[in-house]
Amino acid sequence: MPDWKQYVRKHLPPLQLPPEREAEIVAELAQHLEAAYEEALARGALEAEARAAAQRQFTDWPLLESELHRAERTIPPAVTRRLGRWNDRIKTQQKGVGKMLADLWQDIHFGLRQLRKNKGFTTVAVLTLALGIGANTAIFSVANAVLLRPLPYAESDRLFVAWETQKDGAVREQRLSYPNFMDWKKRNTAFEKLAVFSDNTDTLSTPNGAERHAVARVSADFLPALGVQMTLGRTFLPEDDLRGAAPVVILSYGFWQSRFGGDPSTVGQTLTLDGQVSEIVGVLPSGFDFPLEISGADIWTPMAKDAHYFPQRGMHGYAGLARLKAGITLKQAQSDLNRITSQLAGQFPDSNKGRGGHLVLLHKQVVGNSRLALQILLGVVGFVLLIACANVANLLLTRGSSRAKELAIRGVLGAGRGRLIRQLLIESLLLGAAGGVGGFLLAYWGRSILQNTLSVLDIPRLAEVSLDFQTVVFVAGVSLLTAAIFGAVSAIHSTGIDLTEALKTGGRTAAGSSGRLLRNALVVAEMALALVLFIGAGLMIRSFYSLVNVHPGFETSNTLSARILVPAQKHSTDDELAEIYRNILDQLAGLPGVKSAGASTTIPLVGGTWETSFWILGRMDPETDKGIFFRYYNATPDYFPTMGIPLRRGRLFTEEDRRGRPGVAVINETMAEQHWPNGNPIGERLKMGIRFGQEGEPEEFEIIGVVGDVKHSNLDSTVMPQIYIPYRQQTNSAMQIAIRTEGDPGELFPAVRAKMAAIDRDIPLYRVITLEQARQRSAGSRRSAMLLLGSFAGLAVVLAGVGLYGVISYTVNQRVHEIGIRMALGAPRHHILKLVLGQGMLLAIIGVGLGLIGAAALTRVLESFLFSVSATDPVIFALVAALLLAIALLACWIPARRAMRVDPMVALRHE
C-alpha cells in the first residue's frame, strides 16, 4: 500500500499554515487518494494501474496550493482556532460516526457506478421490481381507502347502523318500521342521535318535462348525527318530520351546481317534487356522500313524505343510523337496545313478537363483502411481488458469481466480509428504491383503470382512492423490505466464497457451483407461485364462460327496457291507470321498427323483486298456517311474448282478466315442480297475504298457466318460485316496459322518448337500458375479477418464465467448457439438447407439483366468486399445469438450442 501522506507532502508546496492545520489538510488529501486507489483495485485494475489512477486525482499542485490558501483566508484566524478546538472535540466524540458516514457515502457512490456500468442488469431488475411493487401499491391504495381509512365523519367510530332482527330459525337483519324507530328513540339511554333513512326515486317537474331523480328520505337527526356542516341554509328540523309539515328539501352540492349554477340565492326557492311544491332549505357540502343505499342522491327530503307509513308497525322500510354517546361501548348500547325490543315484543305481540335489534359499526357495514375481495387481491399481488423478488435475487446471484473475482480481490486487500455484505446490500437497496419509484409511477398511471375495473365489483369508496401519505409509506416500506430480502440472500451467498479458489478460477467454480442449488430453489418457488395464480385465473375464466352462456329464460337481443311512472294526479281510479298503460303500450308498439311492447312491475336483470306471502288453498289454512313467501309481478298480456318467455302449460293473460273478474295467475316451472311435482297446477288456487285494498281487487287467484323459469336478479342467481298477476287486476303506478325491435334497440331510444313526450310530458321515462347491456352488466363483476386475476397471473407466469430462462441460460454459459468436452468426445447434439432441457424441465415439474398442492388448498377462498365450476376443478388444474410446462419448455428451449450449436474448439478454449 503506497504511503499517500508522504506522497502529498512531497508534491504539495509548503502552505505556511499552523502545523496542526497543515497536517489535517495532508491527511484529508491522502485519504482521498487512498479511496481512489482502492476503488481502482476493486474494479480489477493492477496495482500499478490503480496507483496511476489515484495520482491523476491531483496534477496541478500549485493550483491546489492557491485554492487551499484562498479557503483559509476566508475564515478569520480567531474563528479558525475556535473551529479547530471544536473540531478536535467533535473528532474525539464522533470519530466512529464520521468514518461510518464517509464509508457509507463511498459505498453508495460505488454502488451507483456499478449499476450504471451494468445497464442491462439494472434495467431488468428495476423493471421487475417496479411491476411487482406497482401492482401491490395499486391494490393497497384501494384497500387503504376502503378498509383502513376512517369514514369522513366526525368521530366515525361512534357511528353504527341499526337493524331490526327477526328470529325464525335464524336471526335475520331487517329494516325498521317507523313506529318501532320512534319507540327506540324515546326509550334509549345509549344513543346521542338516532335517525332512519331510505332510498327513493321521485318525479321532478321541469319546463322540459318530468324527470326522475334519486332521493334520500332521512329523519331530522340524520345529518347532525354525521356532523355535516351545510354549505347553505339549514338541515332538517324535527318539525319537518311531522305529518302535514310544509314540504321542504335539501339539495346535493352537485345538483345545486348543475341545476342552479351554484346561485347562493337558491335557498328559499322552490321546486315541484311528486306534484308538491317544496321549499329548498339547504345545500349539502361539496364532496359529501353517504356510502350506503342513498349514495348519489340529488335531493334529500324529510320523513313527512312517508307520513302514510307512520302508524304501520308491520311496515319495515328504513335503515337506522345511531351515534353512541361518548363513553358508551357497543356492548352497553346493544344491551340497552335488547331491553327496548323486549318491552316492545310484550307490548305489541302481533307485530313485534320474536323481533330484536342489532347494531353494526358503520365502517363494517360499508365495507361489507368487499373485504374478502380486497384480501384476495392483496394476496394475489403479494404472490406477484414474491416472484419478482425471487427473480431479482436470481439475477443478483448470477451477477454475484461473475463478480466473485472482484470480491475476492477486495477481500485479499483487507475488506472484511461485513464490509462486502454492506456494499452488496446498498446496491440492492438502490435497486429497491428505483423499483419503488417505478412502482409508484405505474400505480399512479394505472389508478383510473383500476378504479373503473373495480367499480362493477360493488366496492365502496372507490372515489376516495388516492396515492396519499400512507401509500407513500407503504411503497417505501415494501421497497426496503423487498431489497433487504433479495439483497441479503445474494450478499450472504456471494461473500461466502473461498478467496483462494475464486482467484484461481476467476470465480466460475467458487461462486457458480455453490449457488446453483439456491438459484434452482428460487426458480421452483417462482413456478409454484405462478401456477397457483394461473389456476385461480383459469377458474375465473371458466366461471365467466359458464356465466355468459347461461340462458336467462328470456331473449335479451333486440329488446329495450325503460321505466315509467304515472303521477297520481293523472288518474283517479286504477282502471284509468290501466287504460293509460294500455294506451302507452299500443302507441309504442306502433312505432316503426317495433315488433311488440309489454310491461311488468320489474323486468329481469333490470329491476328488483317483490315478495309477499301466499297460501295454497286446499293444502294450507290462511287462518292457522304460516304463508309461503313467493316473488310476484304484475304483467300485461303482451309482456311474455315480448320478452320471449315461453308458455309451458295452460294460457297467458288477456285484456279480459280485469277487476271484477275472477283472479288469475301464471306461475313459473320451478314453483310448479316444487309444489305440484307429480300433478297439474292448472286450476289450483292461491290466496295472497298482503292486498292493496282497492275495490274489486281479488283476494284469490286461480292458476291458469305455467311459463318458463326466468333469472330475475342476476345470471348466477337461483331461480325462485314466481307468480305473475294481470296488471288489470292489480295496478301499480310504476311499471317497466319492454320493447322488442327489429334492429338495434339503442337506435330506437330517441323515437321512444319523443313518443312518450308526445303522449304526456309529465310521465317520466328513465332507467333506459337494452337487455343485452343488462346481461353484460350482470356478468360485469365476474368479468372484472377475471381480468384482474388474469392480468396478475399472466404477469406472474411471464416473470417465472423469465426466471427459468435466466437460470438455464446462465447454467449453459457456465458449462460451455464441459459441453465442448462432451461434443469433442463424440456426444451427439441431441444429447446436449436433452441434457439442458432435462435440467430446466426438472425444475419446472417440481415447481408445478408444489404449485398444484398449494392451489388445491388456496383456491378454495375463490369459491364465493365461482359459478358452475369447482374450486378444485381437475380439468382446469390439468390444462393450466400443461400450459405452464409448455411455457417452461419454451424458456428452456432457447438456451438449449444455443448449447447444441456450441463449437467444440471454441468451447475448449472458453474461460
Side-chain angles (χ1 to χ4, degrees), residues 360-597:
V360 181
L361 186 67
L362 177 59
H363 187 276
K364 182 179 179 181
Q365 188 78 44
V366 169
V367 170
N369 295 329
S370 62
R371 181 181 298 274
L372 176 60
L374 289 175
Q375 287 172 341
I376 291 174
L377 286 176
L378 284 171
V380 167
V381 295
F383 274 25
V384 173
L385 185 59
L386 287 176
I387 294 173
C389 286
N391 235 341
V392 175
N394 247 331
L395 287 171
L396 287 172
L397 284 170
T398 302
R399 183 166 174 264
S401 298
S402 64
R403 295 178 66 184
K405 186 174 181 179
E406 170 205 332
L407 297 175
I409 293 174
R410 296 185 67 184
V412 169
L413 292 175
R417 189 182 183 191
R419 177 65 185 270
L420 296 178
I421 289 177
R422 187 179 71 186
Q423 176 63 57
L424 295 177
L425 277 177
I426 285 176
E427 291 181 21
S428 300
L429 290 172
L430 292 173
L431 285 176
V437 172
F440 186 85
L441 293 175
L442 288 176
Y444 180 80
W445 292 330
R447 181 179 56 178
S448 59
I449 298 175
L450 181 63
Q451 285 176 296
N452 292 335
T453 305
L454 291 174
S455 62
V456 296
L457 293 180
D458 293 328
I459 293 179
R461 307 180 70 188
L462 281 179
E464 300 177 33
V465 173
S466 62
L467 301 181
D468 55 10
F469 178 73
Q470 287 84 354
T471 307
V472 173
V473 171
F474 172 82
V475 173
V478 169
S479 302
L480 293 176
L481 180 62
T482 54
I485 291 173
F486 65 72
V489 171
S490 172
I492 293 172
H493 172 264
S494 298
T495 57
I497 59 176
D498 185 280
L499 300 182
T500 304
E501 186 67 23
L503 288 172
K504 288 194 301 183
T505 64
R508 175 168 48 86
T509 304
S513 58
S514 61
R516 187 176 301 126
L517 181 61
L518 182 55
R519 286 192 296 271
N520 291 347
L522 289 173
V523 168
V524 168
E526 288 185 62
M527 298 296 291
L529 292 173
L531 184 76
V532 173
L533 296 186
F534 212 176
I535 286 178
L539 291 172
M540 294 302 297
I541 293 171
R542 173 75 179 274
S543 179
F544 179 73
Y545 178 80
S546 299
L547 186 67
V548 297
N549 285 282
V550 166
H551 195 284
F554 59 95
E555 297 299 328
T556 59
S557 60
N558 297 340
T559 307
L560 184 71
S561 166
R563 193 166 182 84
I564 56 177
L565 183 140
V566 179
Q569 60 268 27
K570 292 290 181 180
H571 60 91
S572 57
T573 68
D574 286 335
D575 286 338
E576 291 178 355
L577 177 61
E579 286 301 323
I580 291 174
Y581 277 117
R582 184 71 271 159
N583 176 51
I584 291 173
L585 293 175
D586 286 344
Q587 294 204 43
L588 292 177
L591 286 172
V594 174
K595 290 184 177 180
S596 63

Side-chain angles (χ1 to χ4, degrees), residues 590-614:
L591 286 172
V594 174
K595 290 184 177 180
S596 63
S600 174
T601 44
T602 61
I603 284 182
L605 306 183
V606 176
T609 57
W610 292 5
E611 288 187 1
T612 192
S613 56
F614 286 85

Side-chain angles (χ1 to χ4, degrees), residues 343-365:
Q343 293 174 355
L344 294 177
Q347 188 175 352
F348 306 101
D350 292 342
S351 59
N352 284 56
K353 184 178 180 180
R355 287 193 172 274
H358 182 52
L359 296 173
V360 181
L361 186 67
L362 177 59
H363 187 276
K364 182 179 179 181
Q365 188 78 44

Side-chain angles (χ1 to χ4, degrees), residues 201 212 561-565 600-603 607 610 732 734-737 764-768:
T201 52
R212 292 291 285 179
S561 166
R563 193 166 182 84
I564 56 177
L565 183 140
S600 174
T601 44
T602 61
I603 284 182
W610 292 5
N732 193 287
M735 295 280 277
Q736 288 181 302
I737 57 175
L765 182 76
Y766 58 106
R767 293 183 186 174
V768 181

